[in-house]
Amino acid sequence: MLRVGKKTAEDTQTPNNEIESSVTEWSEKVTSLLWLINADHILPQSYVPEGLENLPNSNVQVVEEAGRAFVRMTQNMDEPLYVANGYISATAQQNLYESKRQQYLEEGYTEERASMVIVDEYFPGGADEHQLGLTFDVCTDAALNLDVDFGLTPQGQWLEEHAWEYGFIFRGAEGAPKIYKPWQLRYVGETHAAIMEKLHLSLDEYLAYLEDKGTSYFSDVGAMHLDLIVYFTDSLSEIPLKIREVSGDNNGHYIVVCYR
Ligand SMILES: [Zn+2]
C-alpha cells in the first residue's frame, strides 16, 4: 500500500517485521561466489553446485550465471577464447590426482617423492575450486592447450584489463601455490570483482581484508558508480536494509553488500 502524508517518528525507524522478512529472504539467496577452496578449505566430495549448464557449443559445464557473464565477455573480445575446463567433480579431480601420482611412480619416483611433488601440482578431490562451477581454464588454442604465456597473448591482455567488468578475476598465482596458472579465471560477480580491481587484491587477500575491517566503505564502484558498504559478519540480522547481495565464505560468515 502506498502511504502518503507526514512522516511520523515511526516511519523513520525500520519496522522489526520488515527486517525479519528481509533477513529470511536474503538467507535463502546466499551465494557461493566468494567461496575460497583449497587444501585448507575443502568441499564435501558430494558437493555439486546448483544450476550447472553447458557453455554454448561446448561440453564444459559451469554455473548458469557465470556462463552468461562469460559469453557476454567473449562477445566483446576481438579474438576467440576457448574454455578447456569449467566444473570438475570431486571424483574426476581425485582420479586426475591419482593418475598423475601413478605417472610419477612409473617414472621411477619413490612413493614419498611422488606424494610430495603431486601436492604442489594438483589438488585432490574436494580441494580444487573447479568443483564450484565458477572457475574457467581459458586458452587461445582450439586444441585446448593451456599456456603459461597466456598473459602475453592479445586475449590475455584484454582480459587483464576488462575481465573484472564482467565479474571475473584471475586466480593465477593462487589455488595451487607452487604452480602459476595464468589461464585460470574465477567468477565472483561484478560487484566484488570491481572492488578487488580497485583495491588490487586477490580473492584470498580480499576476504582477509574484509574480515579485518568488519565494515568497509567503497565509493564509485564499477560501471554503475555505486557507493557501497560491505559487512563481514556472522549474522544477517545485524545488517540494516538496502542489501544488494549476500555471499557466504564457506567458513560460517556472510559477506553482505549494501547500498549506502
Ligand atoms: Zn584450472
Side-chain angles (χ1 to χ4, degrees):
M1 199 175 85
L2 188 67
R3 287 195 295 176
V4 288
K6 268 193 201 163
K7 268 197 166 182
T8 65
E10 209 178 51
D11 287 333
T12 60
Q13 281 174 353
T14 309
N16 274 334
N17 56 359
E18 200 181 325
I19 293 178
E20 262 170 48
S21 67
S22 169
V23 167
T24 312
E25 188 191 320
W26 280 102
S27 63
E28 287 160 8
K29 289 197 276 191
V30 178
T31 73
S32 55
L33 295 183
L34 293 180
W35 285 15
L36 183 66
I37 306 305
N38 55 38
D40 299 322
H41 301 91
I42 291 178
L43 285 169
Q45 295 285 312
S46 59
Y47 176 83
V48 179
E50 274 177 47
L52 284 178
E53 273 191 3
N54 280 58
L55 285 169
N57 312 312
S58 165
N59 292 326
V60 172
Q61 286 191 309
V62 290
V63 168
E64 187 193 1
E65 179 187 338
R68 263 187 283 127
F70 187 84
V71 168
R72 208 156 49 80
M73 179 168 75
T74 51
Q75 282 167 347
N76 288 330
M77 294 177 72
D78 293 330
E79 319 271 344
L81 188 68
Y82 301 93
V83 183
N85 300 303
Y87 166 69
I88 299 175
S89 72
T91 310
Q93 183 64 29
Q94 185 63 30
N95 290 344
L96 174 74
Y97 182 83
E98 295 294 349
S99 75
K100 291 292 175 183
R101 191 171 172 281
Q102 195 56 39
Q103 217 170 297
Y104 282 123
L105 293 175
E106 280 160 20
E107 282 171 24
Y109 284 59
T110 62
E111 287 274 350
E112 196 188 359
R113 178 112 181 89
S115 300
M116 255 172 61
V117 172
I118 199 76
V119 291
D120 288 346
E121 295 183 353
Y122 295 92
F123 281 124
D128 191 291
E129 75 166 16
H130 278 283
Q131 197 183 341
L132 288 175
L134 300 170
T135 297
F136 298 63
D137 289 335
V138 295
C139 53
T140 60
D141 173 6
L144 304 182
N145 292 309
L146 300 176
D147 181 2
V148 285
D149 289 330
F150 176 75
L152 304 176
T153 65
Q155 290 93 323
Q157 287 180 346
W158 189 93
L159 288 171
E160 191 69 50
E161 209 176 314
H162 297 287
W164 67 271
E165 295 165 17
Y166 301 87
F168 290 91
I169 58 167
F170 276 100
R171 291 284 284 152
E174 301 170 281
K178 305 266 169 75
I179 298 267
Y180 181 54
K181 296 175 179 170
W183 55 77
Q184 188 155 308
L185 284 174
R186 160 73 182 270
Y187 183 74
V188 293
E190 282 178 31
T191 315
H192 292 294
I195 299 173
M196 278 184 244
E197 169 72 15
K198 221 175 167 54
L199 297 174
H200 300 289
L201 295 180
S202 66
L203 180 57
D204 311 48
E205 291 165 344
Y206 180 53
L207 290 169
Y209 174 96
L210 294 179
E211 181 165 18
D212 183 50
K213 297 263 177 197
T215 304
S216 309
Y217 298 83
F218 300 104
S219 306
D220 196 22
V221 173
M224 292 172 71
H225 307 285
L226 300 172
D227 292 335
L228 301 171
I229 310 177
V230 181
Y231 298 94
F232 190 97
T233 177
D234 295 336
S235 161
L236 290 181
S237 54
E238 286 154 30
I239 304 299
L241 295 176
K242 295 203 283 183
I243 295 176
R244 176 178 164 84
E245 61 185 74
V246 183
S247 174
D249 77 337
N250 62 302
N251 228 344
H253 308 107
Y254 297 104
I255 294 99
V256 188
V257 180
C258 295
Y259 297 101
R260 269 206 244 171

